[in-house]
Amino acid sequence: MNKIRLGAACAVLGAALPLVASAQSCNVPVLKVLAQKSLGLTVMEKSLADYQKRTGTRIEISYFGENDRRAKSRLDASTKAGSYQVYYVDEANVAEFASAGWIVPLLKYFPKDADYQDFLPGRRAVASYKDVAYFAPLIGGSDFLFYRRDLLEKAGLPVPRTLDELVADIKKLHSPPNVYGWVARGQRGSGMNVWRWAPFMLAQGGQWTDKNNQPAFNSPAAVKATQLYAELFKYAPPGAATYDWSNALEAFRSGKVAFMIESTPFADWMEDSSKSSVADKVGYARPPAPLPSAAYGHGLAISAVGAKDECTRQAAGKFIAFATGKEQEQARLREKVFSDYNRTSTIQSDYFQKHVKPQILAGLKDTTPVSRLTIWPSPQWPDIGDNLGVTLEEIFTGTRKDIPRALDEAAQYAQDAMEHARK
C-alpha cells in the first residue's frame, strides 16, 4: 500500500514539474507601452523603478499626442507589427480596436486583487465594448453644468434643473459684452462639437441608430436638438461656433460667461485662482434634465498582436493593474492631481474629501447617477463622428441653413461607411 501511495505521489509530482518549470521561465524582460501623456502617468513614473525591480520587467513608454497616438496604435495593430504590448485606448476607439481583435478582453489578465469593480460605473461603461471590459481607466470624467453662483444669486435665480430652465436663464443673464449667457464647443470633430451636441440629441429623444441598427441621427428629434444647440450660439461670445474645449474654458474662467456644460475634471481649472478670475464663484451640478452626463475614459489595454503569448499578456495585465491601481490614485492626490481619479475608493477617501472643494464634491454626487456613454459605440465611429462634426460646424457657423438635409447627408455617409466596412 505504501509503495502504491508513493508511486502515485511521484506521478503527481512528475506531472506538476513541467508546470512549475513553465511558471519559473515565464519571464518578460521588456514591455513596450504606446501612450498619451497624462498627469497620472507622470506621477506613476516616479514609482516605476521600484515596480521594475520588483517584477524584473522593464517598462518602456513612448508618448505621442492624441491624434498621433491613435494613428500609431492603429497602424501597429492593423499591420500586425506588434511593436507594443500595451496600448493607450479611449472611449472613441475601443469599439474599433475590440471588434478588429486588436486588443484582448482585459479581466482574464487583470489581477483580482486590483479590484476592477472599484472603478466608477461610468468609467467601466466606456472601457467596455458589448459588455466586455477592454481597458483599465487612467483618466476620465463626465459632465458638469458649470454656473456662476454669484450671477444667479444676484438675479435671484435657482440653479436650473431642466433644459427649459437652463435656456431661459441663459437668455436672462445674457448681457454682452460684459457677460454672455452660454459657451460651448462648436469646432468640428467627433471629440469636439459632436461630443457636446450628442447629449442634446439624446435628450430630445433622438437615437444614434434605429431598431435595425441603421443611422438615425437625422430624425426630427435630432433636427430639433441641432436647432436648439445652434440657437444657443446667439448667446455665446463672438466666434464661439468654432471654439474647441480650451477656448470655451478660457472664456468661462475669464468671467465672461454664465453657463457652460463641460467635463468634470475642468472644475480644477475654474478653482485655480492663479489663472481663473471666477475661483470660488462657480457652482457644479448635473446637466439639466433630460440631458445625460457624457462619460469618457482613457486607459491601458493589452495589444493582441504585441502580447502574443499568455505569459506576456499576464505581465501586461499586472503592469496595467499597477499603473491604474488604488495606490497610484492616492499618489496622484498627494501630488495635488485631483482630476485623474477613476475609482470609488478614491472619491470616498479621507484625503479626497478633505482636499477637494465642497462645491465640486456636491457636483460629483449630483452627476454620477446620470453619467453614461453618449457617443455611438461603433467600430466606424472615428470616421463617422468626424464627418458629422464637419456638418455640425457648418450648421453652427451658418454656412449651411437646411439642417434636415445636412443631417440626412451625414447619416448617409455613416450608412456608406458601415457598408464599406462590411465588404
Side-chain angles (χ1 to χ4, degrees):
M1 182 66 74
N2 288 340
K3 290 181 180 180
I4 293 174
R5 287 177 179 171
L6 181 61
C10 289
V12 171
L13 181 60
L17 283 174
L19 295 177
V20 173
S22 174
Q24 288 176 340
S25 63
C26 183
N27 108 27
V28 179
V30 180
L31 282 177
K32 294 186 177 182
V33 182
L34 194 162
Q36 179 179 325
K37 202 73 173 177
S38 73
L39 291 173
L41 285 177
T42 299
V43 173
M44 181 275 294
E45 286 186 353
K46 295 182 179 182
S47 55
L48 191 55
D50 180 67
Y51 177 82
Q52 293 176 140
K53 182 178 180 181
R54 186 159 32 93
T55 62
T57 299
R58 188 170 78 254
I59 308 298
E60 297 181 359
I61 306 176
S62 298
Y63 290 110
F64 301 93
E66 184 168 335
N67 290 334
D68 283 345
R69 178 263 301 171
R70 288 194 181 119
K72 287 182 181 294
S73 58
R74 186 179 292 116
L75 182 66
D76 185 73
S78 64
T79 61
K80 300 189 184 304
S83 299
Y84 301 91
Q85 290 72 56
V86 176
Y87 292 147
Y88 184 114
V89 179
D90 60 50
E91 79 292 328
N93 61 358
V94 64
E96 175 191 7
F97 278 54
S99 65
W102 295 343
I103 52 179
V104 301
L106 178 65
L107 295 189
K108 178 180 178 182
Y109 306 103
F110 194 81
K112 289 186 178 180
D113 61 4
D115 195 3
Y116 193 84
Q117 293 302 308
D118 184 50
F119 289 114
L120 292 160
R123 305 288 199 278
R124 284 185 273 123
V126 299
S128 301
Y129 177 62
K130 293 186 176 180
D131 297 323
V132 176
Y134 281 93
F135 70 81
L138 273 168
I139 64 173
S142 53
D143 285 344
F144 277 150
L145 171 67
F146 291 70
Y147 63 92
R148 286 281 299 280
R149 296 198 319 265
D150 56 332
L151 296 180
L152 264 65
E153 289 169 5
K154 184 177 180 180
L157 297 172
V159 179
R161 302 300 290 182
T162 68
L163 182 55
D164 288 343
E165 290 173 358
L166 173 62
V167 172
D169 288 352
I170 287 171
K171 295 176 180 179
K172 289 176 184 176
L173 295 180
H174 184 64
S175 182
N178 296 321
V179 176
Y180 295 89
W182 172 251
V183 73
R185 305 182 197 184
Q187 187 181 90
R188 63 185 63 187
S190 58
M192 289 296 175
N193 54 13
V194 179
W195 185 264
R196 291 269 64 90
W197 167 87
F200 280 74
M201 186 268 289
L202 298 171
Q204 295 292 353
Q207 298 291 332
W208 286 111
T209 59
D210 61 20
K211 61 183 179 181
N212 297 315
N213 200 37
Q214 300 303 305
F217 55 86
N218 57 336
S219 66
V223 171
K224 183 179 178 182
T226 308
Q227 290 169 334
L228 173 59
Y229 198 96
E231 180 190 353
L232 290 178
F233 281 112
K234 296 176 182 177
Y235 306 96
T242 57
Y243 273 11
D244 63 11
W245 59 264
S246 62
N247 299 138
L249 290 170
E250 290 306 327
F252 192 93
R253 70 177 183 174
S254 72
K256 292 287 188 179
V257 177
F259 293 103
M260 172 180 71
I261 294 177
E262 262 302 342
S263 300
T264 51
F266 292 136
D268 282 352
W269 290 42
M270 299 304 122
E271 301 300 333
D272 181 355
S273 59
S274 68
K275 298 177 181 178
S276 173
S277 66
V278 295
D280 290 318
K281 297 179 182 178
V282 184
Y284 310 94
R286 61 149 290 175
L291 290 170
S293 179
Y296 73 93
H298 295 197
L300 299 177
I302 301 172
S303 164
V305 291
K308 296 180 176 64
D309 57 82
E310 291 294 297
C311 183
T312 304
R313 292 180 180 185
Q314 293 286 354
K318 288 178 182 177
F319 167 70
I320 291 171
F322 160 73
T324 62
K326 297 178 184 180
E327 296 79 7
Q328 286 298 326
E329 294 214 347
Q330 289 299 311
R332 295 172 205 169
L333 298 185
R334 292 191 295 272
E335 294 279 343
K336 310 296 184 191
V337 178
F338 294 102
S339 55
D340 287 11
Y341 60 85
N342 303 282
R343 290 179 171 272
T344 300
S345 59
T346 301
I347 62 174
Q348 290 179 348
S349 68
D350 290 342
Y351 198 97
F352 193 87
Q353 295 288 320
K354 181 178 179 181
H355 290 82
V356 175
K357 291 191 173 184
Q359 59 266 34
I360 299 178
L361 292 173
L364 290 173
K365 183 177 181 181
D366 196 24
T367 297
T368 298
V370 294
S371 298
R372 55 174 285 202
L373 183 67
T374 58
I375 62 171
W376 185 1
S378 164
Q380 288 75 49
W381 171 250
D383 181 26
I384 292 170
D386 284 343
N387 180 73
L388 175 58
V390 173
T391 299
L392 291 176
E393 185 184 279
E394 291 172 344
I395 292 170
F396 301 154
T397 56
T399 59
R400 295 201 70 169
K401 306 292 186 183
D402 190 337
I403 294 177
R405 182 176 179 180
L407 292 182
D408 284 346
E409 291 176 5
Q412 184 60 54
Y413 182 95
Q415 180 66 47
D416 293 344
M418 294 169 66
E419 290 179 0
H420 179 74
R422 284 193 286 265
K423 291 180 180 179

